[in-house]
Amino acid sequence: MNNNDNKNRTLPKTHPRYQSLKYRHKIIEGMKKLVVAEAGLIAHGRGECFDYILGEKTNVPAKKAIRAAVAMLLLAKKPVISVNGNTAALVPNELVTLSNMINAPLEINLFYMKKGRIEAIKNILEKAGATDIRGINKEKMVEIEGLDSNRRLMESIADADVVMVPLEDGDRTEVLKKMGKKVIAVDLNPISRTAIWADITIVDNIVRALPEMIKITEELKKTEKDQLYEIMDGFNNQKNIQDVLDLIKDYIDAQKEDAFKTLQT
Ligand code: PTJ
């Protein structure tokens, strides 16, 4: 039995939760290759839990946030997409596509530094077609004050006007805001510190949010600047997060009945 047979047996496509399991396996494989930090498995599990109570779909508030985020990225002078281990393992191709479409470099920025991780993430991004990867050369990095974690080391992010931070921890988002930057977060936890501090919070799974962002970029890149400003300025992050919280409440209420319907069929 070769390796592929083995994978197919443990993950049958007919499994009712195939998609979810597929991404779990990507995270596990990523960890074995040093792309994902050990704590990245736990972060993924936390994300799954929120995804469950959001109905595992891109909801209306996420779609609104995605439109506003794309408008902001298209209007930015120096946008950068920050890449960590989980994002690189889950959506390397989509990161490269979006980066090319909006002309924003990908910058590897890690919380958990370990020998070989940057190289492993660089490899996965290059395999996906990335040619301009930042955050790999120590000489080009600056240390940002007010931040003690490894995330304080930044290259183009230090100079950027708009930074997209998928699956981030709160400390850096707060510091980026204090540095005067606009922050776009992708975070399934609508009340994480990152979600609250960001200018635009996309409460959605990165595996759905990025393809949707690519689709909306295709549409909005032909749009006049004043219309892009209208989309961006018309977005209210606090209201949008509150709408997400209402959705979660409604979803849980509905589950009181819906979760048991399968027993009746
Ligand atoms: O690769 P590194 O070293 O930079 O480390 C990356 C992790 C994610 C381990 C690190 O940033 C971390 O510990 O993050 P936190 O503080 O656990 O926050 C991650 C957030 O992302 C949590 O709020 C999760 O709910 C959320 N999350 C997890 N998986 C997804 C997600 N959000 C969107 N899509 C996901 N697939």
Side-chain angles (χ1 to χ4, degrees), residues 43 84-85 110-112 117 151 168-169 187-188 204-206:
N84 64 19
L110 302 181
F111 188 83
Y112 297 99
R117 277 199 75 204
R151 290 209 193 280
E168 181 80 8
D169 27 84
D187 194 333
L188 277 161
D204 196 12
N205 198 319
I206 190 74

Side-chain angles (χ1 to χ4, degrees), residues 40-65:
L41 270 69
I42 298 164
H44 186 79
R46 181 190 289 172
E48 278 185 346
C49 184
F50 280 105
D51 208 10
Y52 221 100
I53 55 171
L54 279 158
E56 294 177 304
K57 57 177 191 275
T58 304
N59 290 298
V60 172
K63 286 193 178 162
K64 280 190 194 162

Side-chain angles (χ1 to χ4, degrees), residues 173 189-199 201 237 241:
T173 306
N189 177 358
I191 48 171
S192 71
R193 286 195 312 122
T194 294
I196 301 297
W197 271 90
D199 295 274
T201 305
N237 206 40
I241 288 176

